[in-house]
Amino acid sequence: MPSELEAMEAARRYTLDLIGHLDTRQLETSIVPFLSPMAWDLGHIAAFEDLWIAHRLGGMPLLLEDHAALYDAFETPREVRAGLDFLRGEELREYMDAVRDRSGQVDPSDDGTIFELVVRHEYQHTETMLQAMALAGLRPPGFRDGGPAGGDGLELVEIGAGEAELGAPADGFAYDNERPRHAVDLPAFAIGRSPVSNATWLTFAEGGGYERREWWSAEGWSWKLDQDIECPQSASTGDPAAAVVHVSYHEAEAFARSVDARLPTELEWEKAVLQGRLAGVGSVWEWTQSRFGGYPGFRAHPYREYSEVFFDDGYRVLRGASPATHPRVASPHFRNWDLPERRQLFAGIRIAR
């Protein structure tokens, strides 16, 4: 079996193992409006594979052409997916298997990049499904939302001024928003050696972190009041030495102000991690102050909807990875992004000055 197909099979085993403890109702129920029912995610994973490999690469008609809009992430917003007639149960599994059989008929040497895109797309959706499981209290056995911080999050390391080559190299697989690789001249800065720990976050909360208006942006304070936001429960019930997790950008920004700091830019983060100066990378996604946009010379590939439609629309960049992130997806150049009010992410904070 070609290595590309072996990678796809490994991804599918990983997905099915991840949901093996869930029953039909749990798979088909929407936990919150901004997360899909996991059964929809599974159908979408298969439909994406069929579109890119069998249809676009292999020239075959879509297996379920009448389901194309149903499983199109833009044609079918998350808020409406729970009420749709998506595939369920045995019919869903049969569709996933049939799509995989068709993929096996396409020569990976025709475009290995597309096969890798499909593999990573599946792994990214498994992290989204883990978010839904965490919100519903249905985590797989042994799964922890955040990893060890490696420090309290207040110790800083100095990064000298100078030029850095940032972004993914030209060879190998990368998403369009990670390229082109380019030189950036950054002034000196200091950045947290580790992500902020639960113990440190609890000190912030107990010291008035959710009452002190001066630490919050106007947008963040309005969101906090409207949603009645309090300290994430995991900060008080979790391992004090673990990285705090499930905090929004708004909360991360307020914490940074409370210690006379700020959030790093994503370019500062990447420069520091490439120099090997950071601990705890991979324990949580880390909010940066950077807005999501294209690098100079950005070119959409292989489809515009992966990145470009999200540019300059209020999204903030997160860097690193979390325990839910498959190693095949994580890299120093990978750019995650979400809205500043989102808390379902396995996200924490690293400060900077």
Side-chain angles (χ1 to χ4, degrees):
M1 179 183 293
S3 60
E4 292 85 352
L5 289 175
E6 289 179 348
M8 290 170 65
E9 286 297 297
R12 185 56 44 82
R13 289 192 298 271
Y14 178 84
T15 301
L16 297 179
D17 286 347
L18 204 63
I19 62 171
H21 65 295
L22 303 176
D23 61 31
T24 300
R25 183 190 61 81
Q26 292 164 341
L27 287 171
E28 296 173 2
T29 302
S30 180
I31 308 302
V32 290
F34 56 83
L35 288 178
S36 314
M38 286 177 272
W40 185 93
D41 276 306
L42 294 171
H44 169 75
I45 287 168
F48 186 91
E49 177 182 336
D50 198 45
L51 172 68
W52 281 98
I53 296 182
H55 181 59
R56 294 187 175 170
L57 199 56
M60 306 178 203
L62 292 173
L63 183 58
L64 293 179
E65 193 161 356
D66 58 339
H67 282 54
L70 170 67
Y71 287 122
D72 185 298
F74 289 90
E75 293 287 337
T76 308
R78 289 179 175 182
E79 292 78 9
V80 305
R81 292 171 188 169
L84 300 177
D85 189 23
F86 52 83
L87 296 175
R88 293 163 164 82
E90 192 60 32
E91 189 178 22
L92 171 60
R93 296 298 179 94
E94 288 174 357
Y95 174 59
M96 297 174 73
D97 290 343
V99 167
R100 181 54 49 83
D101 289 342
R102 284 155 56 90
S103 297
Q105 300 171 36
V106 180
D107 186 353
S109 64
D110 290 343
D111 193 338
T113 300
I114 296 300
F115 278 78
E116 184 64 22
L117 174 70
V118 167
V119 169
R120 297 196 187 202
H121 175 263
E122 181 156 350
Y123 282 133
Q124 285 180 265
H125 272 274
T126 58
E127 179 152 4
T128 304
M129 289 191 281
L130 277 165
Q131 292 171 12
M133 293 181 216
L135 284 174
L138 298 171
R139 294 169 180 80
F143 177 75
R144 297 290 181 267
D145 294 14
D152 62 11
L154 299 178
E155 178 189 350
L156 301 178
V157 294
E158 302 286 339
I159 307 296
E163 189 175 273
E165 286 283 334
L166 304 177
D171 58 324
F173 180 89
Y175 290 103
D176 56 5
N177 64 65
E178 300 174 34
R179 288 179 173 147
R181 189 168 178 82
H182 58 293
V184 178
D185 192 21
L186 294 175
F189 63 95
I191 188 169
R193 189 181 67 82
S194 68
V196 171
S197 68
N198 280 324
T200 301
W201 191 271
L202 198 57
T203 298
F204 161 72
E206 293 173 345
Y210 288 84
E211 287 80 42
R212 299 275 297 266
R213 169 65 185 84
E214 68 270 24
W215 291 337
W216 295 74
S217 68
E219 181 185 3
W221 187 252
S222 176
W223 166 80
K224 187 196 82 72
L225 293 178
D226 183 62
Q227 300 296 318
D228 195 23
I229 297 298
E230 297 178 345
C231 177
Q233 186 179 13
S234 58
S236 56
T237 61
D239 179 357
V244 69
V245 68
H246 295 305
V247 300
S248 68
Y249 174 89
H250 293 313
E251 292 165 280
E253 188 180 44
F255 175 89
R257 286 200 185 101
S258 78
V259 293
D260 193 28
R262 59 173 174 83
L263 298 181
T265 69
E266 63 167 321
L267 299 180
E268 289 172 336
W269 187 95
E270 187 168 332
K271 180 177 180 178
V273 79
L274 290 175
Q275 289 186 5
R277 305 296 302 281
L278 304 185
V281 175
S283 290
V284 282
W285 287 104
E286 301 173 26
W287 288 105
T288 74
Q289 64 175 261
S290 300
R291 295 182 182 273
F292 188 49
Y295 289 155
F298 169 84
R299 183 177 65 87
H301 177 80
Y303 62 107
R304 180 175 174 265
E305 290 79 10
Y306 181 73
S307 300
E308 193 173 14
V309 296
F310 299 99
F311 290 171
D312 305 316
D313 199 22
Y315 291 89
R316 299 285 181 164
V317 176
L318 301 100
R319 289 303 198 99
S322 80
T325 310
H326 193 274
R328 199 176 184 109
V329 174
S331 89
H333 313 295
F334 186 86
R335 305 172 73 202
N336 195 359
W337 68 93
D338 213 322
L339 295 170
E341 66 268 22
R342 293 289 191 241
R343 293 180 106 197
Q344 89 283 1
L345 301 170
F346 301 107
I349 169 181
R350 188 186 300 266
I351 62 172
R353 288 197 184 100

